[in-house]
Amino acid sequence: MNPISENKRIETLDYLRGFALIGILLVNILPLLNVAPAEAGTANWYMSRILDLTVESRFYVIFTFLFGVGFYLFLSRAIEKGNNGYLLFIRRLIFLLAIGFVHQKFHPGEALFLYAIAGFILLPFYKFKPKINLIIALALILPAAFLGGKLLLILPLFLLGLAAGQYKVFQRLAESKSAIRKLHWISFPMAAIGIFIQYHILPEQNVMVIEEGSSSSEMIAMQIYQGAAAFIGLLVALFYVTTLVRAVQHPFIRTLLKPLSAYGQMALTNYLGQTIIVLMAAAFFNLNGMLSPIQTTLLCIGIYIIQMIFSMIWLSFFKMGPMEWIWRMATYWTIPAIRNERYCKQTDKHF
């Protein structure tokens, strides 16, 4: 199989984006609906533990890493076409900054606003050699995880994604099957050991945030735990990514997970849509502070189904999601074609 060309959409990245969105909602829905900590020993308490060990600080890592990959792909393709890639990407970041600013009014702690700010810092690194970007990323990841958790991890993960793009990891998956398989099997025991360690240092109460009124010893313990969880999240995320990358190389699994690809292809639309659906459900059904972790997980499953069906139907008629279309318009200052060419040809046959 020949390497994927620079101008062809890399579908594996869509699967990964869709997968990342699934985990992000499971975590984001808890503060959005003001879900209270569960009583120790209950089914909801165990569900909180599962979310802490398998979701929290895992899917955010993947989503952030993919931004770095996308940065390289966008800039390199723009420059290849003779465009001013830096100017286009700056416009892209300004739009993301504006969307993130509005979004955080409804969803404090959301990622887009911070991504846009870090994106401006990332721009000069495009000209660095991939080896340099990889070394800087790896050097920053460990201290960033323990000192600042998610916030400080953004730039190192962006750089890691940029380096992966520069090395053309996702364009040359067919050539890298052996290396990915080895990385997958190495990441499995590392992730398992990490989860085991995290389980044994996990405080009795859910500690996704440090609450007001905590004692200094509790705050230090929480800070150590959250730093360890952030670093372990990197190992688990690596296992998740390599597992999914290997899985979608098989035609049957790729077809089976097609809704996930459509979900990821409309990542911006669905990310913002998650917040809209959750807040609307909270308002109409008075869900604020009323649901448990098990109930929010079930609600998330319903949202996934709705959004995946919507994404598949939308992409059968259009080339990109509605927010992606607006983002592209803000980037290029033109009105891009949005109708799916296959749909147009089929429609034309009836006239």
Side-chain angles (χ1 to χ4, degrees):
M1 185 181 294
N2 295 325
I4 298 173
S5 68
E6 285 296 305
N7 292 314
K8 186 176 180 180
R9 187 171 191 91
I10 303 173
E11 194 176 18
T12 301
L13 295 176
D14 290 329
Y15 284 102
L16 289 172
R17 289 189 189 98
F19 181 65
L21 283 174
I22 286 176
I24 286 172
L25 178 59
L26 285 169
V27 173
N28 284 351
I29 196 172
L30 300 175
L32 280 173
L33 294 181
N34 293 315
V35 177
E39 184 180 346
T42 63
N44 282 298
W45 181 80
Y46 284 109
M47 175 57 73
S48 296
R49 289 299 185 267
I50 292 172
L51 293 175
D52 275 333
L53 296 172
T54 64
V55 180
E56 172 66 23
S57 299
R58 277 66 168 156
F59 292 82
Y60 173 86
V61 167
I62 300 172
F63 205 58
T64 309
F65 166 78
L66 292 174
F67 186 96
V69 178
F71 163 73
Y72 169 78
L73 292 174
F74 178 88
L75 208 58
S76 60
R77 289 171 178 177
I79 293 172
E80 183 182 331
K81 292 176 182 178
N83 296 322
N84 187 333
Y86 289 96
L87 176 61
L88 292 177
F89 197 75
I90 287 172
R91 291 178 188 168
R92 196 170 175 83
L93 289 175
I94 291 172
F95 177 80
L96 197 66
L97 192 71
I99 291 295
F101 179 79
V102 175
H103 189 221
Q104 71 173 352
K105 300 296 181 182
F106 301 93
H107 182 189
E110 70 89 43
L112 299 182
F113 188 75
L114 296 174
Y115 280 10
I117 294 173
F120 285 104
I121 302 173
L122 184 65
L123 277 169
F125 290 92
Y126 177 79
K127 291 187 176 181
F128 287 19
K129 292 182 179 180
K131 184 177 181 180
I132 299 299
N133 284 326
L134 181 60
I135 291 173
I136 295 174
L138 294 177
L140 291 177
I141 275 182
L142 186 58
F146 279 93
L147 295 177
K150 290 181 178 180
L151 180 61
L152 291 185
L153 274 173
I154 293 176
L155 184 58
L157 289 171
F158 276 6
L159 289 171
L160 196 61
L162 171 58
Q166 290 174 315
Y167 280 119
K168 303 187 186 303
V169 171
F170 292 99
Q171 293 97 317
R172 297 172 177 168
L173 287 175
E175 303 172 10
S176 308
K177 283 185 177 180
S178 177
I180 293 171
R181 183 172 60 253
K182 290 177 182 177
L183 190 59
H184 179 229
W185 286 114
I186 291 172
S187 66
F188 173 68
M190 293 174 64
I193 292 170
I195 290 176
F196 177 80
I197 293 172
Q198 185 179 347
Y199 173 78
H200 284 281
I201 65 172
L202 183 62
E204 185 173 323
Q205 281 298 325
N206 193 325
V207 289
M208 288 187 180
V209 294
I210 297 175
E211 299 177 350
E212 292 183 11
S214 300
S215 67
S216 58
S217 59
E218 287 175 331
M219 292 181 67
I220 292 172
M222 289 178 187
Q223 192 68 43
I224 292 173
Y225 167 75
Q226 290 178 344
F231 178 70
I232 293 167
L234 297 169
L235 303 176
V236 178
L238 177 61
F239 172 68
Y240 286 167
V241 168
T242 52
T243 299
L244 185 58
V245 167
R246 291 190 66 195
V248 297
Q249 301 309 304
H250 298 276
F252 173 75
I253 297 178
R254 188 163 59 247
T255 302
L256 186 66
L257 296 180
K258 198 67 179 178
L260 189 65
S261 174
Y263 196 43
Q265 191 173 338
M266 292 173 48
L268 180 60
T269 297
N270 287 320
Y271 176 71
L272 297 173
Q274 289 176 349
T275 302
I276 293 171
I277 293 173
V278 171
L279 293 181
M280 286 181 64
F284 282 113
F285 300 106
N286 192 29
L287 301 180
N288 195 33
M290 302 299 294
L291 298 185
S292 66
I294 291 178
Q295 291 170 324
T296 58
T297 300
L298 293 174
L299 178 57
C300 286
I301 293 172
I303 294 172
Y304 302 148
I305 294 171
I306 292 170
Q307 288 194 310
M308 285 185 188
I309 292 174
F310 171 74
S311 297
M312 293 192 72
I313 294 173
W314 181 276
L315 291 174
S316 68
F317 294 100
F318 304 104
K319 294 180 179 179
M320 63 194 81
M323 286 306 302
E324 285 75 14
W325 181 70
I326 296 172
W327 197 9
R328 190 173 181 84
M329 193 187 308
T331 300
Y332 291 96
W333 289 4
T334 59
I335 300 178
I338 189 172
R339 294 183 69 190
N340 191 311
E341 292 178 3
R342 287 181 300 174
Y343 170 72
C344 293
K345 289 179 181 178
Q346 291 172 358
T347 304
D348 290 342
K349 290 180 182 179
H350 298 286
F351 292 93

